[in-house]
Amino acid sequence: MPKIIVNNKEVEFEEGMTVLQACELAGEEIPRFCYHEKLSIAGNCRMCLVEMEKSPKPIASCAMPAVDGMKISTNTILVDKARKGVMEFLLANHPLDCPVCDQGGECDLQDQSLFYGTDNSRYTENKRQVDEKYMGPLIKTQMTRCIHCTRCVRFATEIAGIPELGAIGRGEDMEITTYLEKSMESELSANVIDLCPVGALTSKPYAFEARPWELKKTETIDVMDAVGSNIRVDTYGWEVKRVLPRVNEDINEEWISDKTRYACDGLLKQRLDVPYFRENGKLQKISWREVHKILISKFNSFSPNEMAGMVGGLADLEMIYSFKSFFEKCLNSKNLECREDRIYINNNERMNYIFNTSIKGIEESDLILLVGTNPRLEATILNARIRKAYVKNKVKIYSIGNPGDLTYPYQNIGSSTSIIEEIALSRHEISTKIKKSKKPMIIIGESALYGKTGQYVFESLKNFLLNNNFIRKDWNSLNVLTQQASRVGAIDLDFHSINEKENFSFFDKLKNNEFKFLYLLGVDDINFNKDDKFIVYQGSHGDKGAEIADIILPGAAYTEKNGLFVNLEGKLQNSYKASYPPGESREDWIIFKDLANTMKKHLGFNNVKSLRESINKYIKEKINKKIENKKSFNFVEDSIAIKPIDYYYTNPIARSSKVMNECRRISKNLLFTGIEKAS
């Protein structure tokens, strides 16, 4: 390996590294503003200047390729003088309004000026003033603070895939702005706030809410989709003030979607904080003791076959397992379901319902076939990874079904299930291309698994991959893109119809009014006729499920409890408690435990430790299950239509969010091109 000498210290580096990266390997910290390891090199700010042997002047370390035998100095008088000169230029037009800037305490310019700034300026001219720019409801601008690092521009173009930021003017008169001064359209737009090294771009909803040192910081995971992005929740007292990304190279790198970041204000609104009972059409507050009395009387009024339970998309494993245990051990009922959308699931082995290639594995693929999915709206972070694979490797992307604008080019090959048949029989040109690929990927969305065609689509594609040796230990091309954070965990715990012949028997019974008692655990997106059913709704928000319920039980939101989630890859993740449930709300597993104790029944656990031990044992048995034999099913002629997604309204937390409501309002007035709809 080549070697470089940094401050008389010899270090090895990989070919292709820059001098800045090599210096960091040597343990030297190099100040920078424009450089970011996930973005292309711009070399705008010149803050990263270092001294190189035989060079007449300092060099920009971020843009200079490291070469074997180089001698670099980072702490000489020349380097210090050069950086101070750069800092003086950067501060010449800066408003120096740190006390009122939301970036204060987290500002790179503030930090570096401590080392390289001065207490006075030689700049005597009038400072420039830049008009504020409109970038939508999420990003607050103070462009006078901008230092022209262009991180935001490069992110929008390279990562988000929607080039909606650019620069006008030159030199001191340069201004960063959106094209046509419209709202930023990307679902990743707010990541430019994290990238901005100064206070030019800050969070509009968070403006003047708190200072960073006042906040309690909790590292946890996101539940707005099934990706499991790593996040940090910042709270002030009980209130969640903001959500920020954490670095995880295997999942979300260092990005999060706008919904993940800003739906958090929905945690404060429309909350359930006391139990309610609907009597004569009116809701009345009741105590937990009264809840137990009413429920036990109802349990005794119905047979096990007349009682059913469903779980929603935000449920953690503790909720799901305790709910399942309660129904099976206390009510002797196995009428349980987690699929509000009635998608086909083959739970005979775990690879049938997870994203087997892994999110990081997308970058290794050489062909991607999307089947009935719009990853941009269903899993924004995963879509960014697909774009990254396209940008880096020029991977060929094909789609069955029309997803619309995905931020990268793809070829739509139709939407009929006959295409699936042709692929399965190796009669389609895509079949040949997949066979010639080394690491192909087939990503099956929930729209393709819905209805009568779901079984045929999934099993046919799986058999095709098995027959061509694309389901191996080192590479599994079969991927199911689930949309809900709870989905994989619920299937792991067999919280659904197990018999394949009766895959949707639950919904048939629900439609035919065979269930007289229905327990909804965070279920807000199912449509059915209530008829004479007695409905219990348990959840954190008074959303659609609470509107039809006879008893409403207040549960805790995902930020208000410790919980386990399984993301779409099948990874077990910990969610940590950042705040507290309001009023008389309780953690959901405690509600079931207390109810079982009142009925003088035992669920098999008394505390979180024993509950998690039971969960881990159950899932381990599921993972170790033997691989099933290949199955084949009769062809079903139909069209694969990708279901439209109301992106900003996908769950009760988002629907309660004022910010998401504003984003939704604006998005409806824009085309994917960023051009306003004609009135």
Side-chain angles (χ1 to χ4, degrees):
M1 289 183 68
K3 297 179 180 178
I4 189 172
I5 299 172
V6 181
N7 296 338
N8 299 319
K9 181 181 178 182
E10 189 177 72
V11 292
E12 293 183 342
F13 66 93
E14 296 180 8
E15 289 188 12
M17 279 187 169
T18 63
V19 171
L20 187 150
Q21 292 171 319
C23 289
E24 290 188 335
L25 289 177
E28 299 294 336
E29 184 178 350
I30 307 296
R32 82 292 301 267
F33 292 119
C34 68
Y35 174 80
H36 193 280
E37 60 183 7
K38 299 294 182 184
L39 305 175
S40 61
I41 296 170
N44 294 335
C45 72
R46 321 306 284 185
M47 197 65 202
C48 63
L49 294 173
V50 297
E51 189 175 355
M52 182 177 70
E53 189 181 53
K54 297 181 181 179
S55 175
K57 57 183 181 180
I59 63 169
S61 60
C62 70
M64 176 67 73
V67 179
D68 187 34
M70 265 187 176
K71 292 184 179 180
I72 302 295
S73 300
T74 67
N75 53 9
T76 64
I77 295 173
L78 177 64
V79 170
D80 186 67
K81 185 179 179 181
R83 291 175 182 174
K84 285 182 176 179
V86 171
M87 180 60 67
E88 189 174 7
F89 272 112
L90 292 176
L91 295 178
N93 280 304
H94 199 79
L96 301 176
D97 55 350
C98 298
V100 297
C101 179
D102 268 322
Q103 194 78 359
E106 299 174 315
C107 178
D108 292 345
L109 184 65
Q110 197 177 52
D111 293 340
Q112 295 303 330
S113 66
L114 180 67
F115 296 97
Y116 303 106
T118 58
D119 60 351
N120 58 69
S121 175
R122 290 177 290 175
Y123 189 77
T124 58
E125 304 296 323
N126 293 328
K127 292 195 175 188
R128 65 168 186 169
Q129 180 67 40
V130 183
D131 293 336
E132 305 315 327
K133 313 299 181 185
Y134 176 73
M135 295 189 182
L138 306 180
I139 303 169
K140 179 175 179 280
T141 64
Q142 187 75 41
M143 303 313 292
T144 305
R145 301 170 184 159
C146 180
I147 61 171
H148 305 156
C149 70
T150 68
R151 280 186 180 183
C152 54
V153 177
R154 285 174 283 152
F155 173 84
T157 305
E158 299 165 12
I159 307 297
I162 303 178
E164 48 193 346
L165 286 177
I168 57 175
R170 296 189 62 168
E172 186 182 65
D173 298 322
M174 176 178 167
E175 296 181 21
I176 304 294
T177 182
T178 56
Y179 299 111
L180 306 178
E181 294 208 10
K182 301 296 182 183
S183 174
M184 290 186 70
E185 186 188 342
S186 170
E187 293 79 17
L188 295 168
S189 64
N191 286 286
V192 300
I193 297 168
D194 301 327
L195 287 171
C196 184
V198 295
L201 304 177
T202 55
S203 174
K204 189 176 286 187
Y206 176 69
F208 308 122
E209 285 287 321
R211 289 298 194 179
W213 54 84
E214 298 175 318
L215 302 175
K216 175 190 171 187
K217 301 168 178 63
T218 305
E219 296 185 346
T220 182
I221 60 163
D222 171 52
V223 299
M224 294 294 118
D225 53 31
V227 174
S229 299
N230 286 225
I231 60 173
R232 193 188 83 196
V233 176
D234 290 356
T235 55
Y236 187 87
W238 174 76
E239 293 185 24
V240 175
K241 289 295 185 181
R242 63 178 183 177
V243 173
L244 298 175
R246 287 191 295 128
V247 177
N248 187 319
E249 295 296 340
D250 292 338
I251 300 176
N252 59 301
E253 297 185 278
E254 53 189 273
W255 323 119
I256 55 173
S257 69
D258 291 347
K259 183 166 59 176
T260 297
R261 188 185 298 267
Y262 286 116
C264 60
D265 71 314
L267 294 165
L268 305 174
K269 298 176 175 65
Q270 208 171 320
R271 292 300 304 270
L272 300 174
D273 55 359
V274 294
Y276 290 92
F277 176 60
R278 195 182 301 274
E279 192 172 18
N280 299 323
K282 293 183 178 181
L283 288 174
Q284 298 178 354
K285 295 180 181 180
I286 58 174
S287 67
W288 281 104
R289 183 174 293 181
E290 291 175 298
V291 167
H292 292 171
K293 284 182 182 179
I294 297 170
L295 286 179
I296 291 171
S297 80
K298 293 295 178 181
F299 295 153
N300 295 329
S301 305
F302 304 111
S303 69
N305 291 331
E306 292 178 318
M307 294 187 284
M310 293 190 71
V311 70
L314 302 180
D316 52 66
L317 294 186
E318 289 88 345
M319 288 172 64
I320 299 168
Y321 189 83
S322 58
F323 191 28
K324 178 182 172 74
S325 300
F326 177 78
F327 252 72
E328 292 179 350
K329 295 179 180 180
C330 299
L331 306 182
N332 297 315
S333 174
K334 293 188 177 181
N335 298 318
L336 302 170
E337 193 52 82
C338 66
R339 299 170 295 174
E340 304 169 49
D341 43 11
R342 298 187 62 172
I343 64 169
Y344 169 77
I345 291 292
N346 180 350
N347 80 323
N348 288 340
E349 57 180 327
R350 201 167 190 245
M351 76 169 188
N352 289 341
Y353 53 87
I354 66 172
F355 202 88
N356 293 285
T357 304
S358 78
I359 297 171
K360 190 176 182 179
I362 294 173
E363 297 181 34
E364 301 177 32
S365 64
D366 52 4
L367 184 146
I368 298 175
L369 174 62
L370 306 174
V371 183
T373 181
N374 179 349
R376 177 175 173 180
L377 301 182
E378 295 172 15
T380 305
I381 295 298
L382 187 143
N383 190 68
R385 193 75 76 149
I386 297 176
R387 172 172 171 78
K388 187 178 180 181
Y390 167 75
V391 172
K392 286 178 62 179
N393 307 325
K394 299 300 177 187
V395 60
K396 298 292 184 182
I397 304 168
Y398 303 89
S399 177
I400 300 177
N402 184 14
D405 186 358
L406 294 179
T407 72
Y408 44 80
Y410 65 92
Q411 183 180 338
N412 188 352
I413 59 175
S415 57
S416 173
T417 52
S418 60
I419 299 172
I420 304 294
E421 183 183 37
E422 291 178 16
I423 293 173
L425 298 173
S426 299
R427 296 174 183 171
H428 200 280
E429 61 176 345
I430 290 297
S431 306
T432 307
K433 291 178 180 180
I434 292 174
K435 290 178 181 179
K436 290 181 178 179
S437 302
K438 294 181 179 180
K439 291 184 175 182
M441 290 180 64
I442 294 180
I443 302 176
I444 306 172
E446 292 185 353
S447 294
L449 300 175
Y450 177 77
K452 298 179 181 179
T453 61
Q455 191 177 50
Y456 176 78
V457 169
F458 177 82
E459 299 297 345
S460 299
L461 291 173
K462 181 185 176 183
N463 287 346
F464 171 75
L465 293 174
L466 282 169
N467 292 333
N468 292 280
N469 196 31
F470 286 122
I471 297 181
R472 316 183 298 266
K473 286 186 177 180
D474 64 317
W475 186 263
N476 190 334
S477 298
L478 181 66
N479 300 283
V480 175
L481 179 54
T482 52
Q483 297 180 26
Q484 297 182 334
S486 66
R487 180 63 51 82
V488 174
I491 300 170
D492 278 341
L493 297 174
D494 293 321
F495 201 98
H496 63 98
S497 307
I498 298 175
N499 190 340
E500 287 181 19
K501 294 180 180 179
E502 301 178 358
N503 217 306
F504 302 115
S505 61
F506 180 96
F507 299 98
D508 294 333
K509 292 176 181 178
L510 184 64
K511 184 180 179 181
N512 297 330
N513 203 31
E514 293 182 37
F515 297 136
K516 303 299 181 182
F517 178 94
L518 188 60
Y519 203 126
L520 303 178
L521 183 59
V523 178
D524 292 283
D525 295 301
I526 185 171
N527 295 316
F528 64 95
N529 294 322
K530 183 180 179 180
D531 299 318
D532 59 344
K533 298 181 184 69
F534 187 89
I535 297 177
V536 179
Y537 175 81
Q538 182 176 320
S540 60
H541 286 70
D543 203 70
K544 298 176 183 178
E547 290 177 3
I548 60 172
D550 298 288
I551 283 187
I552 301 172
L553 305 180
Y558 76 103
T559 58
E560 298 161 0
K561 57 186 175 181
N562 296 318
L564 297 172
F565 287 87
V566 182
N567 77 339
L568 54 78
E569 301 173 294
K571 288 182 178 178
L572 189 64
Q573 297 178 299
N574 275 300
S575 172
Y576 293 103
K577 186 174 184 176
S579 61
Y580 298 90
E584 297 180 30
S585 304
R586 298 179 179 178
E587 292 187 30
D588 297 270
W589 74 270
I590 294 176
I591 294 174
F592 294 118
K593 181 180 73 70
D594 291 346
L595 187 55
N597 290 340
T598 306
M599 298 172 66
K600 297 182 179 179
K601 303 276 186 163
H602 193 260
L603 299 181
F605 52 84
N606 290 314
N607 50 49
V608 174
K609 184 180 178 182
S610 58
L611 173 58
R612 289 190 171 184
E613 286 174 353
S614 301
I615 293 170
N616 288 329
K617 183 180 178 182
Y618 197 106
I619 293 179
K620 281 181 181 179
E621 290 176 357
K622 185 67 173 284
I623 294 172
N624 295 328
K625 203 169 184 179
K626 292 183 179 179
I627 297 176
E628 63 176 311
N629 296 323
K630 289 187 288 185
K631 295 180 171 51
S632 59
F633 297 90
N634 296 326
F635 171 69
V636 180
E637 178 69 45
D638 203 353
S639 178
I640 298 175
I642 299 175
K643 290 184 179 180
I645 297 174
D646 197 347
Y647 177 75
Y648 297 105
Y649 266 24
T650 52
N651 59 63
I653 297 175
R655 286 192 286 268
S656 301
S657 168
K658 183 180 178 181
V659 180
M660 292 295 98
N661 184 59
E662 180 66 14
C663 289
R664 181 173 181 257
R665 184 188 67 80
I666 290 175
S667 67
K668 287 189 172 185
N669 295 323
L670 296 173
L671 298 173
F672 279 115
T673 57
I675 302 174
E676 199 170 359
K677 284 183 177 179
S679 56

